[in-house]
Amino acid sequence: MVVQQYRDGGGARAVRALAVAGVIAVTAGCFGGDGEGGASDGSGRRSVAADRPLDLLGQAADVLVEAGGAETRTSMETAAGGTRVTIRAQGAYDFRRQLGRLKVVLPEDAAGADGHRPITELLAPGALYMKNRGAGVPDDKWVRIDTTTLKDGNLLTGGVTDPMAAAELLRGAADVTYAGKSELAGVTVHHYRGVADLGRAARAASPQSRGALSAAAKGFGKDAVPFDAYLDEEGRLRKVRHRFTFSSEGPEVSVVSTLLLYGFGLPVTVTLPDEDAIYTGEIRQG
């Protein structure tokens, strides 16, 4: 299972943070925003479809930084040994500061008969903060994870792929094909399909993302990550789906992580917890 794949070294706590779910999972969806037309609508702007796909995808993270904040929904679907589990999350992310706040909802049957409250996650460069962790962590305390110590760079461990990391992965895009134009919740988008190389993406990533992506490039057995990316007429990433595959002690594990972005320009306020709010005690194995 995914939670067994990374249970060692500095990543052990982060993996156990979602051990209650057994595996981690993703489902695609369509959420809207305030997309505008490109050159084809007479506005004089150049449509993203007119540019080279590798350039567009390589610049996707930079375009998001220019856009500032956005609302996001995510899903993560894991398939292993015939079992599928899905984890969903919703929140907002500030691409300029690379800070986000998400509420992660575990599957109804993943935590046993008593269920589990949604986990609040704060995303920051090199760090993941989790509240309502359970497993012996006091309700008023946060668990802090150094994502540069995780074998997956927190692409999977938290049940959410960090939105900036998801965009930065596209810097490693290769073998890209243009799959056509469509609509996503009323917004015109251009669909690109390709494969991202983790090592190449890590080398080209922003300094804030480089540590975690470098850890993922070393930790995954396969550098190649197939993806489907949807950009609007302004080059903003609206949806991206990554497919991660690796082998643990058991059967091969397939994880599909989907990120959706909308409501661009949204002010996002994220306050990281003080040191005295960080839990440093033992976390129960569950």
Side-chain angles (χ1 to χ4, degrees):
M1 294 189 299
V2 172
V3 295
Q4 295 173 330
Q5 176 74 4
Y6 304 118
R7 186 169 291 163
D8 63 6
R13 278 189 180 175
V15 175
R16 289 196 293 272
L18 285 179
V20 67
V23 283
I24 32 190
V26 148
T27 294
C30 295
F31 306 98
D34 53 352
E36 299 176 16
S40 61
D41 66 2
S43 66
R45 288 194 303 270
R46 186 178 184 182
S47 169
V48 295
D51 293 303
R52 292 189 301 170
L54 287 178
D55 291 339
L56 284 167
L57 296 171
Q59 297 165 6
D62 298 327
V63 173
L64 290 177
V65 170
E66 293 179 6
E71 295 181 76
T72 181
R73 295 189 187 182
T74 72
S75 59
M76 188 169 283
E77 181 182 293
T78 296
T83 300
R84 291 182 180 272
V85 178
T86 300
I87 293 174
R88 304 181 190 278
Q90 183 172 356
Y93 194 89
D94 182 338
F95 287 95
R96 290 176 182 162
R97 297 197 300 151
Q98 295 194 18
L99 295 174
R101 183 183 185 94
L102 297 165
K103 180 178 289 185
V104 180
V105 180
L106 303 177
E108 291 182 0
D109 60 347
D114 293 336
H116 195 287
R117 290 177 299 168
I119 296 174
T120 299
E121 293 190 2
L122 302 182
L123 305 173
L128 166 66
Y129 298 83
M130 308 179 78
K131 196 173 186 180
N132 294 338
R133 163 65 185 87
V137 180
D139 290 346
D140 62 340
K141 294 290 186 180
W142 294 83
V143 174
R144 183 189 185 280
I145 312 300
D146 181 349
T147 55
T148 64
T149 66
L150 298 176
K151 282 191 173 182
D152 71 324
N154 195 34
L155 293 176
L156 303 177
T157 292
V160 172
T161 300
D162 183 296
M164 191 63 182
E168 298 260 33
L169 267 178
L170 298 177
R171 297 188 192 274
D175 300 326
V176 176
T177 59
Y178 179 57
K181 183 169 67 173
S182 61
E183 283 197 358
L184 190 62
V187 177
T188 298
V189 292
H190 298 273
H191 180 190
Y192 299 90
R193 182 177 291 123
V195 177
D197 181 274
L198 280 167
R200 187 184 302 120
R203 291 189 294 272
S206 64
Q208 299 96 319
S209 300
R210 193 169 299 144
L213 285 178
S214 295
K218 295 175 183 177
F220 275 92
K222 298 180 180 179
D223 282 342
V225 181
F227 68 84
D228 286 88
Y230 301 78
L231 277 62
D232 66 18
E233 293 282 3
E234 297 181 34
R236 298 177 299 191
L237 186 65
R238 290 281 182 164
K239 174 180 175 180
V240 62
R241 180 188 294 116
H242 291 102
R243 297 171 180 83
F244 303 94
T245 304
F246 52 87
S247 297
S248 60
E249 297 175 358
E252 186 174 75
V253 179
S254 174
V255 181
V256 181
S257 179
T258 303
L259 166 73
L260 297 112
L261 297 168
Y262 55 104
F264 290 101
L266 173 78
V268 179
T269 301
V270 177
T271 302
L272 301 181
D274 296 328
E275 286 298 321
D276 58 4
I278 306 298
Y279 181 70
T280 57
E282 196 71 25
I283 298 178
R284 290 199 308 263
Q285 296 278 353

